Amino acid sequence: MPIRYDAIIIGTGQAGPALAARLSAAGRKVAIVERGAIGGTCVNTGCIPTKTLVASAAAARAARRAAEFGVSVGGPVTVDMKAVKARKDSISGESRTGVESMLRGLPNATVHVGHARFESSREVRVGGDLLTAERIFVNVGGRASTPPIPGLSDVAYWNNSSIMAVDFVPPHLVIVGGSYIGLEFAQMYRRFGSAVTVVEMAPRLIAREDEDTSAAIRDILEREGIAVRTGAECIAVAKSPSGVRVGVNCKAGDPSVEGTHLLLAVGRRPNTDDLGLEKAGVALDARGYITVDDALRTSVDGIWALGDCNGRGAFTHTAYNDFEIVAANLLDADPRRISDRIEAYALFIDPPLGRAGMTEAAARKSGRRILVGTRPMARIKRAVEKGDTLGFVKVVVDADSKEILGAAILGVGGDEIIHSLLDVMYARAPYTVIQRAMHIHPTVSEYLPTVLGDLRAP
Ligand SMILES: Cc1cc2nc3c(=O)[nH]c(=O)nc-3n(C[C@H](O)[C@H](O)[C@H](O)COP(=O)(O)OP(=O)(O)OC[C@H]3O[C@@H](n4cnc5c(N)ncnc54)[C@H](O)[C@@H]3O)c2cc1C
């Protein structure tokens, strides 16, 4: 006999647990299914552990630069990777335990451990149990993809999950993939003491950003001694006496890179391939993402898809926002929509990149009349005082509506400061609101009115 619920949630990532809590509080009988570590990617192998490692790496960097600030650390700076990993495991573990005890403590929810597969549009099998519900929410996330790189089966390599077990400093880490995940690992391992080479197929790092942003990020990384090989069109790997040789076949420079260890950071794929979605009739796009409408409904009535698996976002905040949209529609009669949100994210290298809305390139392409304001961090006093002068502020506005279209803040505090622009964008207020605001001195944010007072046509 199937076990009957009001709702089944598959996955305990960034949307599922919050939805389980809302539905349970509304008196619905909920099953939540998890096949791996509770908390999903962000908690176990994504945001939380990586940002914890980034913080350790920043401490190492600060200690090495101490003399610049007139401070002596009394000897060479060393990194104890076992302690770094223990700190990371502890912080990540606390989050995992927190999510698990919250879920297990919910009055109307049951946690089912195991791999969930649809048997029909209303039934999900988990091991020996058959669960049934009128409403099913898919929050299965994604995993690191492994591209068909020639030679890969002959060499050992890490991805973002397996590198979490590392408790030593690899002598020379070669990272294939010069985008968000790859660059965070590149800088942290360089700061831990590894030689690091980043190999990227595209002509520039994080190619979806504006060219000036890509170039400034490359500069930040190269100043710390990270080697960057872009335009690597024919990546191949092989064992070598030192560990691994990565053929890059770049147009310029050495044809290959020798390293001791290899990290693949070449994108992610949705966990939709072993979910029995065909039995439920749920439609996928060509890349395996579940297609959803503006309210996260799939092609099958009664089934929703939230988080990374729907291809409408690849961040913790987009997954959580998906939960908010579904809960608002189902429980609050509030017609929230995906299309209400403004793209925003950060790259957590140090200094970080905070991004909101359109890039300058996208704004130009949109055909609008635009104005752009920029200022290098080197001309921002707080950055100078902190000894952190790399990067810049850039804001793009619509010359006619005066709305802010997008912004990039690459520099000290960029991941936080971006929100003052993002919130004005949500308010759909003209940029003149910030231009006339009195901001606190000395901060990076105090220059936002200045930047907005000096807008020019590009
Ligand atoms: C290295 C790295 C760093 C990141 N850093 C950031 C960051 O700084 N900021 C940010 O916003 N985002 C970051 N992300 C992205 C973020 O982690 C994800 O966007 C977020 O976790 C997506 O949440 P989700 O709920 O969609 O799925 P997930 O968190 O992936 O959770 C899905 C869950 O479903 C389970 N599951 C899958 N299939 C089944 C099945 N068939 N049966 C049962 N359970 C199943 C999985 O085991 C998993 O627990 C990072 C990602 C990585 C890899």
Side-chain angles (χ1 to χ4, degrees):
M1 279 296 285
I3 311 172
R4 192 162 290 283
Y5 288 98
D6 294 321
I8 299 168
I9 298 169
I10 307 175
T12 61
Q14 295 306 305
L19 186 60
R22 274 297 315 266
L23 290 169
S24 165
R28 313 284 159 83
K29 192 179 165 204
V30 183
I32 184 157
V33 191
E34 176 55 59
R35 69 175 182 189
I38 286 197
T41 307
C42 181
V43 165
N44 297 291
T45 55
C47 340
I48 292 180
T50 54
K51 268 77 258 183
T52 306
L53 293 171
V54 164
S56 288
R61 169 86 169 155
R64 284 195 197 101
R65 290 187 64 196
E68 284 177 44
F69 296 82
V71 175
S72 166
V73 292
V77 174
T78 56
V79 174
D80 176 351
M81 277 301 281
K82 287 196 169 30
V84 166
K85 178 177 178 294
R87 178 176 185 272
K88 180 264 294 174
D89 288 343
S90 158
I91 291 174
S92 163
E94 260 177 43
S95 287
R96 182 170 52 251
T97 319
V99 178
E100 179 156 14
S101 52
M102 183 278 281
L103 284 176
R104 293 199 186 277
L106 291 175
N108 299 312
T110 305
V111 178
H112 288 262
V113 175
H115 185 105
R117 277 186 195 85
F118 281 90
E119 298 235 322
S120 73
S121 63
R122 293 291 178 268
E123 291 167 313
V124 171
R125 178 162 297 284
V126 186
D129 292 333
L130 185 63
L131 320 181
T132 181
E134 286 304 306
R135 287 174 170 174
I136 302 180
F137 303 91
V138 184
N139 178 218
V140 291
R143 61 185 187 273
S145 51
T146 311
I149 295 176
L152 200 57
S153 55
D154 304 328
V155 301
Y157 61 89
W158 293 316
N159 60 25
N160 76 276
S161 297
S162 52
I163 201 172
M164 289 298 149
V166 172
D167 64 356
F168 61 94
V169 177
H172 186 164
L173 180 62
V174 180
I175 300 177
V176 175
S179 201
Y180 305 87
I181 292 174
L183 297 186
E184 290 179 15
F185 280 111
Q187 192 186 47
M188 76 172 79
Y189 271 92
R190 179 72 191 127
R191 290 175 170 198
F192 292 150
S194 299
V196 174
T197 304
V198 175
V199 175
E200 167 56 47
M201 282 175 99
R204 57 190 174 88
L205 297 178
I206 48 171
R208 59 181 280 188
E209 302 300 339
D210 283 331
E211 284 188 27
D212 51 1
T213 309
S214 284
I217 287 168
R218 182 171 183 152
D219 179 49
I220 289 168
L221 298 176
E222 287 183 335
R223 279 170 188 255
E224 292 192 31
I226 294 165
V228 177
R229 301 291 305 273
T230 46
E233 280 161 1
C234 298
I235 297 171
V237 296
K239 268 192 184 152
S240 76
S242 62
V244 63
R245 186 172 58 248
V246 180
V248 289
N249 196 24
C250 292
K251 293 184 185 97
D254 292 340
S256 65
V257 175
E258 290 276 341
T260 56
H261 294 80
L262 176 65
L263 168 66
L264 292 187
V266 280
R268 300 191 45 87
R269 54 178 294 190
N271 290 326
T272 53
D273 45 344
D274 192 14
L275 199 51
L277 285 167
E278 62 292 344
K279 289 194 179 165
V282 171
L284 303 176
D285 70 12
R287 296 185 306 144
Y289 290 95
I290 299 173
T291 51
V292 290
D293 67 10
D294 215 12
L296 286 316
R297 289 178 295 227
T298 69
S299 58
V300 175
D301 192 38
I303 303 181
W304 288 255
L306 301 86
D308 285 12
C309 68
N310 64 29
R312 303 292 291 268
F315 299 101
T316 281
H317 45 276
T318 47
Y320 189 79
N321 188 244
D322 285 357
F323 144 68
E324 292 180 316
I325 293 167
V326 168
N329 279 278
L330 288 182
L331 300 170
D332 304 332
D334 178 359
R336 290 180 67 174
R337 297 280 176 265
I338 299 181
S339 49
D340 292 338
R341 70 189 179 206
I342 297 168
E343 192 174 26
Y345 51 87
L347 165 68
F348 294 93
I349 58 164
D350 177 29
L353 168 70
R355 281 272 298 109
M358 292 181 181
T359 58
E360 180 184 343
R364 283 175 192 238
K365 221 170 148 192
S366 74
R368 293 174 173 87
R369 243 170 28 92
I370 64 167
L371 297 171
V372 180
T374 60
R375 190 174 188 95
M377 283 286 163
R379 291 186 53 221
I380 291 181
K381 284 289 173 292
R382 190 66 194 277
V384 174
E385 289 149 10
K386 289 188 166 182
D388 208 350
T389 53
L390 298 178
F392 60 87
V393 174
K394 175 158 80 172
V395 187
V396 181
V397 308
D398 186 313
D400 299 307
S401 70
K402 297 199 169 10
E403 282 186 25
I404 298 171
L405 297 173
I409 303 186
L410 173 63
V412 56
D415 51 340
E416 299 287 352
I417 298 158
I418 195 73
H419 289 90
S420 61
L421 296 166
L422 183 61
D423 289 341
V424 170
M425 291 167 78
Y426 271 111
R428 305 208 67 173
Y431 72 82
T432 46
V433 170
I434 299 193
Q435 191 195 345
R436 291 168 188 208
M438 181 187 75
H439 283 183
I440 297 165
H441 173 77
T443 60
V444 176
S445 299
E446 78 176 312
Y447 285 86
L448 293 178
T450 315
V451 169
L452 291 167
D454 194 23
L455 295 169
R456 286 153 208 266

